[in-house]
């Protein structure tokens, strides 16, 4: 290297500038102690990017250690771009979920689009070809003046990027609550396939190895994106638009093919996508994980804008970019492949023996700082927390039904949270690639593995109102719900990814929510042998000090041995026996019936018995594998009546006649209680007694509750509900709302 001039130190570093970079005074003092001098502006920006919450997990790291991350199928757990599990036959599923909450509120289309692009890169960076996308979306009150625009922009962004890239969006969830008014959640999940012996990792190895910049050119979009995502919103939220990245799905498609090709050619030592904090984070992580230093020459970085400073180049979050460490003898071959795909290829640095992060531009040293402290040894806090006070269990007999059961069911199936989300998922291409077995609208999506017979079942789940009322039980429930949804389609649950969305961790009550949910998730994952292999923590989801509902989203992946053997939610024939697996107390605390019909949000959420969840899930899966049950639906939001209505609506024509609720359970609590661990299972009438006998032998609670048939859902003592009318209510809300005629 040529001799370098002194690090430029303009502008003067002031306390105000430090604060603008999201560093607390004590953190800045830690920075000074590490480097032994005042930082340059570029160095300050680098520390700001690497030590913010989004990149360092400084508030959550000590608690995340409680999560079980190993298991019989785990190849790679948390700490890499994505988690990896063995699905047999030399194949692996690679998956992860991440958030793009703040950018999506500021600029809904691009924020959501680049969220999809980022999670796809995380997957193919590991050497996997993406096969499916999912999402979990939380919006504010439908009546809020911004909600409709945010819904339209986010859905268009997800569809625009995913459809153009060419990977099906096969599932997800959409919810509304006024606690998301100023801070929506956009959680994106991607799943890919790779060969088990061809997984690629981020840790660099070897001294003097070329560091190569790949993909699109660097611009000024997304600067301070990671820092912005680690701060609360205030009145200036709209002014943060320049921090939002701009995506190009067609460039990403080229990047995918080029990366997979050079991987197949054996060119790659290490690879890291440029996501949050851009070039800074990718370079530091590769070096720190490999116990190596990194030297970068910014004069060699491809730029689409002129006059970019070192500060701007290091913090840009321009999309569709990768950083790789290549085998020196493969450099020319790799460059030829990237040029063939019309992408930039530039050697921008090398690995070094010293544990330093060295950045030059125009002959000046712009940064020279210890690399380990930037990456692996960022500040870690044991923040004080207070546990959420327990709420009393709500006696269902104390809840007076404000209307007949039939009227309440019509109201619920036509509500914002429980209505059909067809308006959303029809904007996504959910069948491209031709391997989608179960489309959106069921308990879990099912995607064939190559030509079969294996398939992956995938779901995203969380019930935020449970998590706020009791974080521990809510965390357990989110995992159990994912377990049930996978089991309901006949899949063996294998592993999860998580996306932990919370408010400001510096508030002890918010930190208590985070800790409680993590503990609940950990217990459920251990009991169900359902390890966490990847994830993301998104904190500071607040606006004017008002936090979102705690929303620890779980993405579950399960395996089906033969995709031709499974179950869906739709009734398939008349005269079949309807069985309820799982016990019913009529739990109304925190239920949607209590909230949307009775106008009350209170009470303890339903408890989750994990031993029962495992036993019931195993039992239902066995029925599906033996082809005894081809219609299965888990009972969740809205309770039993809503589950039955969804099954009838999905059939398009077949109703059901239901039996009286058991003695001692009020009718409205029986039909709308949200007791956990339950499934509606439909079997041939001739097999019902045998199935019930098997359940008893297995210690599984199961009862016959009705029979399929007719054109209406008939609940005892209630007026018949025609399937046609229920369907109209179910399908009406979303398109009406988005047309501007409601809300």
């Amino acid at each position: 290297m040529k001799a370098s001039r002194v690090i430029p130190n303009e502008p003067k570093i002031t306390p105000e500038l430090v604060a603008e970079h999201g560093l607390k005074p004590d953190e800045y003092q830690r920075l000074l102690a590490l480097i032994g001098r005042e930082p340059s502006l570029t160095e300050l920006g680098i520390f700001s990017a690497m030590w913010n919450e989004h990149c360092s997990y400084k508030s959550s790291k000590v608690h995340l250690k409680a999560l079980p991350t190993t298991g019989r199928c785990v190849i790679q757990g948390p700490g890499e771009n994505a988690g990896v599990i063995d699905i047999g036959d030399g194949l692996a599923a690679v998956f992860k979920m991440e958030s793009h909450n703040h950018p999506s509120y500021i600029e809904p289309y691009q924020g959501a689009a680049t969220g999809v692009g980022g999670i796809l890169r995380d997957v193919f960076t590991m050497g996997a070809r993406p096969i499916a996308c999912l999402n979990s979306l939380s919006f504010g009150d439908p009546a809020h003046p911004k909600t409709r625009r945010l819904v339209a922009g986010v859905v268009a962004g997800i569809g625009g990027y995913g459809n153009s890239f060419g990977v099906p969006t096969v599932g997800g969830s959409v919810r509304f609550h006024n606690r998301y008014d100023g801070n929506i959640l956009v959680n994106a999940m991607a799943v890919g396939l790779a060969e088990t012996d061809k997984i690629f990792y981020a840790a660099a190895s070897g001294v003097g190895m070329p560091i190569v910049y790949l993909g699109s050119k660097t611009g000024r979009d997304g600067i301070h994106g990671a820092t912005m995502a680690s701060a609360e919103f205030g009145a200036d939220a709209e002014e943060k638009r320049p921090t939002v990245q701009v995506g190009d799905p067609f460039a990403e498609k080229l990047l995918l093919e080029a990366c997979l090709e050079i991987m197949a050619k054996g060119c790659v030592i290490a690879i890291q996508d440029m996501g949050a904090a851009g070039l800074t984070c990718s370079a530091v992580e590769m070096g720190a994980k490999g116990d190596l230093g990194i030297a970068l020459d910014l004069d060699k970085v491809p730029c689409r804008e002129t006059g970019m400073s070192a500060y701007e180049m290091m913090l840009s979050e321009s999309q569709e970019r990768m950083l790789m460490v290549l085998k020196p003898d493969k450099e020319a071959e790799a460059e030829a492949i990237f040029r063939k795909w019309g992408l930039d290829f530039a050697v921008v640095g090398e690995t070094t023996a010293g544990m330093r992060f060295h950045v030059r531009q125009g002959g000046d040293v712009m940064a020279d700082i210890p690399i380990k402290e930037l990456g692996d040894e960022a500040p870690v806090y044991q923040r004080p927390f207070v546990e959420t006070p327990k709420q009393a269990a709500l006696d269902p007999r104390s809840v007076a039904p404000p209307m007949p059961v039939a009227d309440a069911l019509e109201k619920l199936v036509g509500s914002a949270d429980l209505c059909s989300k067809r308006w959303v998922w029809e904007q996504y291409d959910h069948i491209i690639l031709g391997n989608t077995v179960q489309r959106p609208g069921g308990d879990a999506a099912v995607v064939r593995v190559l030509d079969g017979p294996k398939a992956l079942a995938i779901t995203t789940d969380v019930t935020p109102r449970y998590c706020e009322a009791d974080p521990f039980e809510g965390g357990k429930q989110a995992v159990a719900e994912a377990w049930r949804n996978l089991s309901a389609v006949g899949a063996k649950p294998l592993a999860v990814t998580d996306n932990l969305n919370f408010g400001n961790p510096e508030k002890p009550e918010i930190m208590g929510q985070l800790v409680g949910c993590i503990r609940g998730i950990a217990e459920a994952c251990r009991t169900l042998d359902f390890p966490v292999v990847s994830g993301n923590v998104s904190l500071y989801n607040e606006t004017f000090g008002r936090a979102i509902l705690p929303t620890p989203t779980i993405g579950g992946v399960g395996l089906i041995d033969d995709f031709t053997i499974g179950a869906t939610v739709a009734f398939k024939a008349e005269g079949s026996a309807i069985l309820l697996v799982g016990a019913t107390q009529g739990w109304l605390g925190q239920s949607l019936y209590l909230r949307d019909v009775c106008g009350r949000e209170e009470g303890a959420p339903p408890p989750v018995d994990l031993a029962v969840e495992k036993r019931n899930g195993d039992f239902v899966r066995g029925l599906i594998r033996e082809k005894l049950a081809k219609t299965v639906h888990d009972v969740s939001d809205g309770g039993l009546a809503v589950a039955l209505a969804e099954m009838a609506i999905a059939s398009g024509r077949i109703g059901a006649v239901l039996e009286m609720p058991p003695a001692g359970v009020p009718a409205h609590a029986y039909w709308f209680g949200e007791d956990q661990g339950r499934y509606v299972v439909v079997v041939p009438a001739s097999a019902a007694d045998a199935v019930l006998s098997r359940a008893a032998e297995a210690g599984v609670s199961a009862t016959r509750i009705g029979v399929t048939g007719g054109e209406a859902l008939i609940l005892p003592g209630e007026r018949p509900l025609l399937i046609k009318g229920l369907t109209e209510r179910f399908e009406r809300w979303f398109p009406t709302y988005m047309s501007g005629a409601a809300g």
Side-chain angles (χ1 to χ4, degrees), residues 564-580:
T564 65
I565 303 172
T568 64
V569 303
F571 292 146
K572 296 178 178 63
E574 299 200 0
S576 299
I578 305 173
L579 311 180
L580 177 61

Side-chain angles (χ1 to χ4, degrees), residues 408-454:
L409 180 55
E410 286 184 329
K411 182 178 178 70
L412 285 171
V413 299
S415 65
D417 275 4
L418 292 176
C419 73
S420 168
K421 305 305 186 296
R422 185 184 301 274
W423 185 92
V424 175
W425 54 257
E426 283 193 341
Q427 296 188 53
Y428 307 149
D429 191 334
H430 46 274
I431 60 173
I432 193 169
L433 302 181
N435 280 330
T436 305
V437 178
Q438 284 207 36
R439 303 181 184 187
D443 284 323
V446 178
V447 180
R448 189 172 58 186
V449 175
L450 304 177
D451 294 328
K454 288 183 176 180

Side-chain angles (χ1 to χ4, degrees), residues 105-193:
Y105 182 80
I106 298 165
E107 178 51 60
Y109 185 97
Q110 290 296 347
T114 51
V116 174
I119 200 64
L120 286 166
R121 280 197 306 281
D122 280 339
V123 165
F124 72 75
T125 297
M126 302 291 294
R129 182 172 289 279
I131 62 168
C133 288
L134 297 90
N135 52 71
S136 180
L137 311 177
S138 303
F139 296 105
D141 186 337
H144 191 281
K146 289 187 178 181
T147 299
R148 188 181 291 108
R149 179 183 68 85
L150 290 168
V151 173
V154 165
V155 172
I158 292 170
Y161 202 103
N163 298 351
S164 299
F165 183 77
V167 172
T169 299
V170 296
S173 56
V174 182
R175 68 185 58 83
F176 296 87
H177 196 281
N178 60 22
R179 291 278 290 282
Y180 303 105
D181 279 351
N183 200 125
I184 64 174
L185 302 183
V186 177
N187 296 173
M189 178 177 173
V191 183
L193 286 178

